[in-house]
Amino acid sequence: MQRGLPMQPTVVLLREGTDTSQGKGQLLSNISACLAVAETLSSTLGPRGMDKLIVNNRGEAQITNDGATILKLLEIVHPAAKTLVDIGRAQDAEVGDGTTSVVLLAAQMLKEVRGYIEEGVSPHIIMKGYRLGAQLAIDRIKEIQVSIDKSDSARFRSLLLKCASTSMSSKLIHSEKPFFSEMVVDAVQCLDQEDLDESLIGIKKIAGGGMQDSQLIRGVAFKKTFTYAGAEQQPKSFKDPLVLCLNVELELKAEKDNAEVRVNAVSDYQAIVDAEWTIIYNKLEAIQKTGAQVVLSKLPIGDLATQWFADRNIFCAGRVTAQDLRRVVQAVGGSVQSTCSDIERKHLGTCGKFEERQVGGERYNVFEDCPISKTCTLLLRGGAEQFIEEVERSLHDAIMVVKRAVKNSQVVAGGGAVEMDISAHIRAHARTIPGKIQLILTAFARALEIIPRQICDNAGLDATDVLNKLRQLHARGDKWAGVDVEGEDGVRDNMEAFVWEPSLVKTNAIGSAVEAACLILSVDETVKNPQSEGMNPGPRAPPGAAQRALRGRGRGR
Amino acid sequence: MAGPYSDAVYTTDEYGRPFIIVREQGKKTRSHGVEAIKSHILAARTVANIVRTSLGPRGLDKILISPDGEITVTNDGATILGQMEVEHQIAKLLVQLSKSQDDEIGDGTTGVVVLAGALLEQSEALLDRGIHPIRIADGFERACKIAVAELDRISDRVEFSKENTENLLKAAMTSLGSKIVSKAHRQFAQIAVDAVLSVADLARRDVDFELIKVDGKVGGSLEDTTLVQGVVIDKDMSHPQMPRTIKDARIAILTCPFEPPRPKTKHKLDIGSAEEYKKLQVYEKEKFADMVKRVKDTGANLVICQWGFDDEANHLLMQNELPAVRWVGGPEIELIAVATNGRIVPRFEDLSAEKLGKAGIVREVSFGTTRDKMLVVEECANTRAVTIFVRGSNKMIIDEAKRALHDAICVVRNLVVDNRVVYGGGAAEISCSVAVAKAADDIPSIEQYAMRAFASALDAIPLALAENSGLAPIETLADVKSRQVTENNSKLGIDCNARGQNDMKEQFVYDPLISKRQQYLLATQLVRAVLKIDDVITAGEDNE
């Protein structure tokens, strides 16, 4: 690490081996680091974006096109570059889509001002300019965004479909866009429209079959749990059953682990045995009395109970995961009971149809036609595990976009159209102000053009050519002109072509990109302690990362 | 894969010092761009070439030796790939692809890999011409749609019923054609058809595989394989003097041990005097007598027990002329219960006459000179559970025969679910290839090239079939293709068995439509995924 340093007399101030780099050089090298990260990511943008195959040190492979996922898997440790990872993740958490764009934007903003830094412009001026630019950009988006009319539900639905399909266009499921956007919109509309908690959309992955075999269950579905002998004799299909959800173990077993029974007389022996049986039978009878036909429990349901239920035409499933059980309760009503006594009708849920069904090679328990259905389940199919995982990520993005659109219902045109428009707007505005800020605003405007430029590059179009056409169109006031990767001349009105994105995705992306760029610009010194082991000359990592790093090494041993 | 982490992420600062962006950067390898795609294509093609020679009725088998020295002989695509333990990521995708075909359809696992390999091979040429990989994938997908539509068009419905199973038999025979069992070809096909039809619900078009059990035992020859309308369990009577055959069996199915009940809670019995000790003995004896009596009272004449019982109980059962079987596993207990309409009883107190299972005959069968015995439960109250009992001269053959039967059963199942078929022997591929090539000419954009490539890739299947059958591949394919077009007969395929007849309908070579359809869709999807990857980042091995 020290090898390239020029010889200089040093005053020992910090612990030996501590790396202090400072000044302009440090700033510039931070910028290079960010650019390097962004470059790795850039080829995934847009409908013709490519995927990355990332293999971790345990040999597990992931194929993905999702910016946030890639950044996570790259395990970036450079402190400045880590900022990019963080904004990618923040964008993912906040709006769920546009993670690649936000990283590209931030990196491009840094790249555009690199020259000014070299020339000695103070980073503070740049930051001021960028903040102004961000404000102008967000105002402009608010000005031009188009509100979706929610009153006409059929039209609203078709608008949501378009938003969903735009977010899918760069993913593996591109060719099945209509199919999956229907699915995503249906799924979001199943939810409580006030709350829109997307964690209530269950996603189950079943290897095998084609993507087209994926389905949406309006209700809950989960994989058949481990069952004991006797489960095959239980009825597997009900109409309007009462559903009881328990958190009770139904098994013949030691009541308390540390209890010990001392029997003094042989005659008492049988009494103890009977007592144990009575305990479990009482529980089972109490359950039967509630009239429940489907009994689910978070804890195991043993073979005895399974057979007992089978004799009485009751379906049971033990070891249901907490999340599935929560969603069952959401869908069918009732509540999870921790005891078998005093269960009343109001604690039980109901649904229109319950069934055990074959999906691919697995059997699934499916609850449908639920009365207070605020949940749904996506059963994803695909040829390989990695496929399904990527499908899941793509659907997650689309679900988030639809959710945002339902909540905010303001959209802008995608495909670089809105970026070009803001760029044109800011450029025009820049000419009205004197001073260095003018230069910075122009740089900001140029940085925004990275989005359409990268889409063109990835699609194999001549980026310079297309961008010039777009600039001309936007100067004429054609505010929704964007990149067209399909057509002949590469440009079209993306509002009319239904390439739409919720405006929140864009405002958030620009906002956080500017913040990240400003953060990196304001750093001019890194003080890095040598690592105690000295094996990994990585920089001092933030507290969370240090733990992760330790764990990472621990695994290797 | 490329050497060290390429310079895109490996950066130096103003003083020429390298700095680290990614953890353990030095250990990671990265390859990207066309180079990455090319290396993927190569890997996929290598895998495809391995299984290519096992395609078709004249396809050859592979021997796979596991790390423990266990030998598998097979020509089932999914099994070969599954046991090869491939390392390469893209090759792993192919393995999963064939597994997915296996899970969903159960047959055609080799074909799907060969097709995917051929598609990738074709796309390599297109990449060299500078066509964007995603445009290629788009083209493949359009072509795939056309091919699937063509499959629908040329498909035929086969009629069958419980009585007339001839057509199902033909389809099963096609699937078994390439397998080791072709010696007893018709017999195995018959077994597969009978097994599926006896568990199938023809009205709902549903087949529950759980009810078909495939069991095997070394000895005898493949011809001795039988279909048992009932359950076979690998157990014998608990006492050698118990009767070997029980007619009109009424079976008590118990999941409790034949011993005095014991509380589950930790317990201790304090015995203070000799008197107490005697009492205990009396109690135990009474319990045994009581248990046997309870069973007897219900009218049962056979006890199947999930747990064991000691010699004392065994002797008691013997004395009371109550044959019993012990240590029967959970799934088997369940199978017996389903087959005999019995109920599984968890304790003696719950026994009653209506909970007994009923079977026409239960017999113990012994094999050859070995002392291996098995219990066969036949003529059950519920005929829907069946067991296929495979015999063969060694374990490898039995395993391979089981896999072959699985494929055949799947084919029959698929036909029960959807009775549309296409013709095998490459006939369907040739028709689709012709249709796609024709449609390609109407496409104005670059996808045209990709579609033509798809058409050529489809030819790979008949080519491989012809090659494996010892025919001149290109000549044969050209001949059949031109005849298909001129005679407008989509039933013409490769005559692998040299019967002098290219009409696959005459030869009765069928494949279920859904199987072919699934092959095309899966292969196209996989190719898209592979083409879409332009960057591979591999973390290095951890050094210990």
Side-chain angles (χ1 to χ4, degrees), chain A residues 147-151 153 156-161 163-164 184-197 201 398-411 501-505:
Chain A
S147 286
I148 302 175
D149 182 13
K150 273 197 195 174
S151 52
S153 65
F156 183 53
R157 191 184 151 80
S158 78
L159 301 181
L160 292 181
L161 285 178
C163 283
V184 164
V185 172
D186 279 343
V188 174
Q189 288 190 331
C190 274
L191 296 178
D192 188 346
Q193 295 300 306
E194 296 299 305
D195 182 29
L196 289 179
D197 180 0
I201 301 179
I399 287 173
M400 293 300 277
V401 164
V402 173
K403 183 184 146 185
R404 288 294 152 194
V406 170
K407 265 198 168 162
N408 300 47
S409 67
Q410 262 110 18
V411 294
E501 284 179 272
S503 60
L504 190 77
V505 173

Side-chain angles (χ1 to χ4, degrees), chain B residues 64-171:
Chain B
L64 300 152
I65 304 176
S66 76
D68 312 330
E70 248 181 71
I71 294 174
T72 313
V73 180
T74 183
N75 80 359
D76 180 58
T79 315
I80 298 173
L81 292 175
Q83 303 218 349
M84 271 190 344
E85 297 194 9
V86 291
E87 273 293 316
H88 194 277
Q89 293 306 330
I90 298 300
K92 268 191 195 154
L93 280 180
L94 278 179
V95 175
Q96 285 184 359
L97 173 77
S98 73
K99 194 170 165 296
S100 148
Q101 173 85 11
D102 195 29
D103 290 347
E104 196 70 12
I105 306 290
D107 186 39
T109 51
T110 315
V112 67
V113 175
V114 171
L115 183 60
L119 280 172
L120 285 170
E121 192 171 344
Q122 292 291 335
S123 47
E124 192 171 11
L126 296 176
L127 284 172
D128 285 342
R129 287 184 177 178
I131 300 182
H132 195 284
I134 293 183
R135 298 303 281 272
I136 301 177
D138 284 350
F140 281 171
E141 239 144 40
R142 282 175 90 155
C144 182
K145 275 209 185 94
I146 293 167
V148 169
E150 175 71 9
L151 281 180
D152 279 340
R153 193 184 68 78
I154 60 172
S155 67
D156 247 349
R157 273 178 193 283
V158 288
E159 295 308 327
F160 65 90
S161 61
K162 283 249 174 192
E163 290 75 42
N164 178 15
T165 58
E166 195 54 31
N167 280 324
L168 294 179
L169 207 60
K170 295 277 159 55

Side-chain angles (χ1 to χ4, degrees), chain A residues 117-423:
Chain A
I117 301 263
E118 276 166 5
E119 283 160 15
V121 178
S122 160
H124 286 280
I125 304 232
I126 298 174
M127 281 152 67
K128 204 171 145 203
Y130 270 2
R131 293 222 166 96
L132 177 65
Q135 197 50 49
L136 285 170
I138 289 166
D139 289 347
R140 176 67 179 170
I141 293 179
K142 294 224 168 100
E143 190 187 321
I144 61 173
Q145 71 194 3
V146 176
S147 286
I148 302 175
D149 182 13
K150 273 197 195 174
S151 52
D152 183 354
S153 65
R155 253 203 83 197
F156 183 53
R157 191 184 151 80
S158 78
L159 301 181
L160 292 181
L161 285 178
K162 274 149 208 161
C163 283
S165 66
T166 306
S167 114
M168 286 177 201
S169 56
S170 63
K171 314 284 186 195
L172 201 60
I173 50 177
H174 166 71
S175 56
E176 300 297 327
K177 266 196 307 202
F179 175 77
F180 280 108
S181 21
E182 281 280 334
M183 197 162 165
V184 164
V185 172
D186 279 343
V188 174
Q189 288 190 331
C190 274
L191 296 178
D192 188 346
Q193 295 300 306
E194 296 299 305
D195 182 29
L196 289 179
D197 180 0
E198 78 276 357
S199 68
L200 288 176
I201 301 179
I203 297 184
K204 300 281 166 197
K205 295 170 274 188
I206 312 157
M211 295 190 290
Q212 297 83 349
D213 299 328
S214 302
Q215 46 180 308
L216 174 81
I217 307 271
R218 289 165 190 277
V220 188
F222 55 85
K223 200 172 133 185
K224 180 187 166 187
T225 50
F226 176 82
T227 51
Y228 290 93
E232 283 306 315
Q233 288 178 304
Q234 291 175 345
K236 295 297 166 58
S237 167
F238 288 102
K239 270 209 148 46
D240 302 316
L242 291 176
V243 183
L244 174 63
C245 300
L246 290 172
N247 189 9
V248 178
E249 189 168 352
L250 294 175
E251 211 163 359
L252 180 66
K253 61 161 217 158
E255 274 305 304
K256 284 275 178 294
D257 285 338
N258 46 4
E260 190 182 299
V261 185
R262 268 172 197 265
V263 189
N264 287 321
V266 173
S267 50
D268 293 344
Y269 192 82
Q270 184 65 33
I272 303 279
V273 174
D274 287 344
E276 275 188 352
W277 284 88
T278 319
I279 292 173
I280 175 122
Y281 274 146
N282 282 348
K283 279 190 195 167
L284 295 177
E285 266 153 27
I287 290 171
Q288 193 199 1
K289 265 193 208 125
T290 63
Q293 283 160 300
V294 177
V295 179
L296 305 176
S297 177
K298 228 186 265 187
L299 296 171
I301 293 182
D303 51 352
L304 168 69
T306 309
Q307 289 145 17
W308 198 87
F309 284 136
D311 275 351
R312 284 154 188 82
N313 283 333
I314 295 172
F315 176 88
C316 71
R319 295 203 176 105
V320 181
T321 60
Q323 221 200 352
D324 285 333
L325 204 63
R326 182 174 144 239
R327 294 199 302 112
V328 170
V329 171
Q330 288 278 349
V332 303
S335 53
V336 179
Q337 298 296 307
S338 302
T339 157
C340 293
S341 49
D342 279 340
I343 298 176
E344 286 167 33
R345 173 63 187 83
K346 66 173 183 210
H347 300 131
L348 269 60
T350 186
C351 67
K353 205 167 99 193
F354 167 79
E355 201 178 19
E356 185 178 303
R357 209 186 277 171
Q358 185 90 27
V359 183
E362 314 265 15
R363 291 197 84 83
Y364 265 73
N365 295 325
V366 182
F367 296 84
E368 274 177 314
D369 301 333
C370 309
I372 43 172
S373 177
K374 299 234 173 70
T375 175
C376 59
T377 310
L378 300 174
L379 297 182
L380 302 183
R381 311 293 316 275
E385 232 168 89
Q386 283 102 333
F387 277 171
I388 312 180
E389 270 168 30
E390 179 62 8
V391 171
E392 183 192 356
R393 280 190 290 269
S394 316
L395 288 189
H396 167 77
D397 285 8
I399 287 173
M400 293 300 277
V401 164
V402 173
K403 183 184 146 185
R404 288 294 152 194
V406 170
K407 265 198 168 162
N408 300 47
S409 67
Q410 262 110 18
V411 294
V412 291
V418 68
E419 283 85 2
M420 285 309 288
D421 185 71
I422 302 169
S423 170

Side-chain angles (χ1 to χ4, degrees), chain A residues 51-53 55 61 74-75 77 170 175 209 232-233 261 263 270 276-277 281 311 381 384-385 458, chain B residues 21-23 89 96 104 132 141 264-266 268 270 283 287 334 342-343 350 532 534-535 537 539:
Chain A
D51 289 0
K52 308 269 161 202
L53 177 86
V55 187
L74 277 178
E75 300 193 309
V77 289
S170 63
S175 56
E232 283 306 315
Q233 288 178 304
V261 185
V263 189
Q270 184 65 33
E276 275 188 352
W277 284 88
Y281 274 146
D311 275 351
R381 311 293 316 275
E385 232 168 89
N458 289 350
Chain B
I21 299 177
V22 175
R23 180 183 304 153
Q89 293 306 330
Q96 285 184 359
E104 196 70 12
H132 195 284
E141 239 144 40
K264 294 258 177 172
T265 311
K266 211 181 336 160
K268 204 172 185 179
D270 288 333
Y283 170 78
K287 268 290 158 196
E334 196 163 9
R343 286 291 177 183
D350 294 343
K532 226 168 159 273
D534 77 330
D535 208 338
I537 295 164

